[in-house]
Amino acid sequence: MTPPKPCTGTTSVSVALLEQGLTVAHQAFTKQAFMLADAVSDAPCFSDYQQLDTLFPNAKFVYLDRPLDKWLPSMQMLLGRMLVHLDKDNGRFHPVMKRSFNHCFDIWRVEDVFDEAHLTACYQRHQQQVFSYFADRDDFLALDISVDSSLALLMAFIGLNDALAQLMQPSEELPQLSFPQLTFPQLNMGRNVASWDEYKHPNKISANASGPDKRKFFDYRLD
């Protein structure tokens, strides 16, 4: 699971994990979505990581980091497209998603959610809370996907060592120490925020997957 802020590369990580054979829910709004997925990468993980850590004690958590100066304009663009759908009463997005965004960005409380000072405070508060909660734990990894070795580091962290070793074998087509397949795909560039929906793969798990409890979510509450 990943407890990152939005706009830190969750779609790129999700697609990379699909390509390594994992089942992936980019978002998960039902119990069943969590049960079916090997990895969940976005809402509600960035707001609910402490509760999910209790529910899934053997899970590993990855914090996707991104420099503040790059994150801010990306987040402002995303909120500009999403805000009307995150409205508490009339927004069309799933209630779990709306709750997650409000928990981290106070979208129902502040007058100007796009304000740089406000978003900077949200960024810093979330980062401090995540790092404090997971301090000195070996089931937590902070990752910046723009770093060249980040995909290899992620694969090793989640136990895909055999797949990593195979990818790193030199060949005539792929000289040693040159691993283009060990880079994250560049998705959701510019104003494109729909790459996950457009990406087709049999291992994708629906955020609204139905199971024994239909489409119910967990019954915990956020503090």
Side-chain angles (χ1 to χ4, degrees):
M1 300 182 193
T2 57
K5 300 168 288 292
C7 297
T8 53
T10 56
T11 303
S12 295
V13 169
S14 295
V15 170
L17 293 179
L18 284 174
E19 293 300 328
Q20 296 306 318
L22 275 66
T23 54
V24 180
H26 184 239
Q27 298 166 335
F29 304 139
T30 67
K31 293 181 182 180
Q32 187 67 0
F34 277 94
M35 298 304 165
L36 294 175
D38 296 317
V40 182
S41 63
D42 202 286
C45 295
F46 59 81
S47 60
D48 299 18
Y49 57 89
Q50 296 186 30
Q51 291 77 15
L52 294 169
D53 184 32
T54 299
L55 286 172
F56 299 95
N58 296 320
K60 294 185 177 182
F61 290 82
V62 180
Y63 176 84
L64 299 182
D65 207 355
R66 189 178 185 186
L68 178 61
D69 64 333
K70 292 183 171 61
W71 178 80
L72 272 173
S74 183
M75 192 64 203
Q76 289 169 325
M77 181 274 293
L78 181 66
L79 286 172
R81 302 187 67 170
M82 294 178 62
L83 196 59
V84 65
H85 305 302
L86 292 168
D87 182 81
K88 185 176 183 179
D89 299 316
N90 300 312
R92 68 175 179 84
F93 284 160
H94 194 282
V96 171
M97 186 172 185
K98 293 194 286 185
R99 173 183 58 71
S100 288
F101 270 80
N102 180 63
H103 183 82
C104 290
F105 302 107
D106 296 326
I107 59 174
W108 301 335
R109 301 187 185 97
V110 298
E111 183 175 345
D112 183 7
V113 72
F114 302 100
D115 179 66
E116 284 194 9
H118 166 68
L119 288 176
T120 297
C122 292
Y123 174 104
Q124 293 171 339
R125 178 184 64 199
H126 182 265
Q127 185 179 69
Q128 187 278 325
Q129 289 173 342
V130 170
F131 278 55
S132 176
Y133 180 80
F134 288 104
D136 301 320
R137 286 178 47 168
D138 60 7
D139 57 355
F140 173 78
L141 173 69
L143 193 74
D144 181 343
I145 70 167
S146 67
V147 176
D148 289 343
S149 60
S150 57
L151 181 52
L153 186 62
L154 176 62
M155 291 175 66
F157 174 69
I158 62 179
L160 296 178
N161 297 304
D162 291 342
L164 179 60
Q166 185 174 3
L167 283 173
M168 295 182 69
Q169 288 296 321
S171 67
E172 292 182 2
E173 296 79 17
L174 184 63
Q176 193 170 11
L177 301 180
S178 176
F179 310 122
Q181 70 272 55
L182 286 180
T183 58
F184 286 101
Q186 294 187 355
L187 302 173
N188 281 355
M189 304 295 288
R191 297 189 61 83
N192 179 18
V193 293
S195 291
W196 177 253
D197 292 335
E198 297 164 358
Y199 187 80
K200 308 301 181 185
H201 197 285
N203 287 353
K204 286 179 65 172
I205 301 299
S206 170
N208 296 297
S210 181
D213 293 322
K214 306 298 182 183
R215 288 188 169 86
K216 289 185 178 180
F217 192 68
F218 302 106
D219 60 2
Y220 60 73
R221 289 179 172 269
L222 295 184
D223 295 333

